[in-house]
Amino acid sequence: MHRLLLLSCLWLLAAPPASTIFQRPTGTPAPLRLQYLLEPLHPTVHTQRGATAILPCVLRTLPHNYRVKWSKVEPTNYQENIIIITNGLYHKNYGPLSPRVRLRHSHRYDASLTITNVALEDEGRYRCQLVNGLEDESILLTLHLEGVVFPYQPSNGRYKFNYHEAKQACEQQDSRLATYQQLYKAWTEGLDWCNAGWILDGTVHYPIINSREPCGGRLLLPGVRTYGARDKQKDRFDAFCFTSALQGSQVYFIRGHLNFKEAGQACRNHGAAIAKVGQLYSAWKFSQLDRCDGGWLADGSVRYPITIPRERCGGLPDPGVRSFGFPSKEMRTYGTYCFMGK
């Protein structure tokens, strides 16, 4: 009897293909009213990087021989990657999220997904699907991180990244390539940048607030201009990166006339590390870091964050992170921004 029960449970948890594509054909009617799953009160869950997030999924009743399958909709290819499958008694985790996910299971109808130590790549859409033969149904939820988008280019100038290099460059600066939704939101909040850059789905765009001749001409309306999908290997542009606040972290400034090597050592002397570009943007956006002093960052650039624009700090009318570019690393004319993690 125990052997038959075990074999039955293993069959119920048999792994589906690693990725499946869900697309409703044209003309297919909208899904029927949910019978087994409760509609979530709040389909968007707001969280912070490093926090624990709970995506709600609660059953009205427990049908016979059912499974609940959680998956994540990936914006790069619109596939759904399996995260966890349960039959109410047993569960199995899949994929890179596996070490950080579990079922909340606060009662026997609760199939909510708990994600610990939320990371930048966790943002996006999730599906909770009840698998019950011909009566399958699902709900979609969005995990949202408040963040900031910033344009990024390397020390050797504009338009040097292919897609894969842009993705790596953002990750090296404590960020990731932005999604179109993140870039669009940043544009509505004032991001104005004349250089085109890669985003996560492999398309290329640039956001314009003030129409001007070098950026498509004065006659074009403001907006997020697009070059569409480009060759990820051959075409070269800048990058638009997205980062978010990390709970328990701090960015602070150390005064001094330091070259790049000395700047890194000054941070280490305080038990910290020289800050990355994404960390400085995060501190500017979420901690209102405001300093008129240029300081070294980990990529060899010199920047400073301004939340209260004033004449003696660059003279620009809008808040932002100003840049001195990539000066010689042997110059002894700057302080440094340090990052202290939790």
Side-chain angles (χ1 to χ4, degrees), residues 128-144:
C128 177
Q129 182 177 16
L130 184 133
V131 182
N132 185 35
L134 298 176
E135 297 180 308
D136 295 358
E137 60 187 38
S138 65
I139 57 172
L140 277 173
L141 299 111
T142 298
L143 185 65
H144 176 71

Side-chain angles (χ1 to χ4, degrees), residues 137-287:
E137 60 187 38
S138 65
I139 57 172
L140 277 173
L141 299 111
T142 298
L143 185 65
H144 176 71
L145 278 73
E146 287 296 329
V148 56
V149 172
F150 61 94
Y152 189 75
Q153 56 184 220
S155 59
N156 56 343
R158 69 197 288 262
Y159 294 175
K160 299 297 182 182
F161 295 135
N162 66 23
Y163 173 81
H164 306 287
E165 292 164 344
K167 184 173 183 289
Q168 183 180 35
C170 289
E171 291 167 357
Q172 289 173 344
Q173 296 309 314
D174 194 44
S175 59
R176 70 190 299 243
L177 279 175
T179 64
Y180 181 81
Q181 290 79 7
Q182 290 164 347
L183 181 62
Y184 184 87
K185 183 174 184 289
W187 168 71
T188 66
E189 295 172 349
L191 181 60
D192 182 286
W193 194 254
C194 205
N195 294 341
W198 294 102
I199 63 171
L200 187 60
D201 64 2
T203 57
V204 175
H205 309 267
Y206 64 103
I208 295 297
I209 296 290
N210 302 307
S211 299
R212 49 202 187 273
E213 287 303 328
C215 307
R218 297 180 182 276
L219 298 180
L220 286 180
L221 294 174
V224 179
R225 315 272 173 79
T226 180
Y227 287 3
R230 311 298 291 192
D231 190 307
K232 292 182 178 181
Q233 294 287 353
K234 297 178 181 179
D235 290 327
R236 295 188 172 271
F237 298 95
D238 292 345
F240 286 105
C241 305
F242 171 84
T243 193
S244 182
L246 180 62
Q247 284 190 336
S249 64
Q250 178 189 11
V251 173
Y252 60 93
F253 182 74
I254 294 179
R255 287 185 177 275
H257 296 282
L258 309 168
N259 63 29
F260 179 72
K261 184 177 180 180
E262 293 167 340
Q265 187 59 52
C267 292
R268 289 191 292 272
N269 291 344
H270 286 75
I274 188 168
K276 298 178 179 180
V277 176
Q279 292 163 350
L280 184 65
Y281 268 92
S282 178
W284 163 73
K285 177 75 172 181
F286 299 105
S287 301

Side-chain angles (χ1 to χ4, degrees), residues 24-161:
R24 188 189 304 167
T26 303
T28 301
L32 298 175
R33 182 180 178 274
L34 294 174
Q35 300 180 57
Y36 298 105
L37 297 176
L38 291 175
E39 284 281 359
L41 289 176
H42 304 288
T44 299
V45 175
H46 297 267
T47 188
Q48 286 185 301
R49 190 158 50 131
T52 295
I54 297 175
L55 298 174
C57 185
V58 177
L59 281 67
R60 298 173 186 267
T61 185
L62 302 177
H64 294 293
N65 298 326
Y66 77 95
R67 288 183 296 166
V68 172
K69 179 176 67 175
W70 276 99
S71 56
K72 185 173 189 292
V73 183
E74 297 299 338
T76 53
N77 51 20
Y78 301 103
Q79 291 183 333
E80 297 202 10
N81 292 328
I82 306 303
I83 299 171
I84 195 169
I85 298 177
T86 181
N87 64 0
L89 296 174
Y90 303 92
H91 70 272
K92 185 172 178 59
N93 293 16
Y94 298 89
L97 266 174
S98 180
R100 296 190 289 113
V101 297
R102 57 182 171 82
L103 295 171
R104 182 174 63 177
H105 206 61
S106 59
H107 52 80
R108 66 195 189 106
Y109 297 98
D110 184 15
S112 301
L113 184 72
T114 299
I115 305 175
T116 60
N117 194 23
V118 171
L120 289 172
E121 59 269 22
D122 297 342
E123 179 169 270
R125 291 198 302 160
Y126 291 77
R127 184 189 300 274
C128 177
Q129 182 177 16
L130 184 133
V131 182
N132 185 35
L134 298 176
E135 297 180 308
D136 295 358
E137 60 187 38
S138 65
I139 57 172
L140 277 173
L141 299 111
T142 298
L143 185 65
H144 176 71
L145 278 73
E146 287 296 329
V148 56
V149 172
F150 61 94
Y152 189 75
Q153 56 184 220
S155 59
N156 56 343
R158 69 197 288 262
Y159 294 175
K160 299 297 182 182
F161 295 135

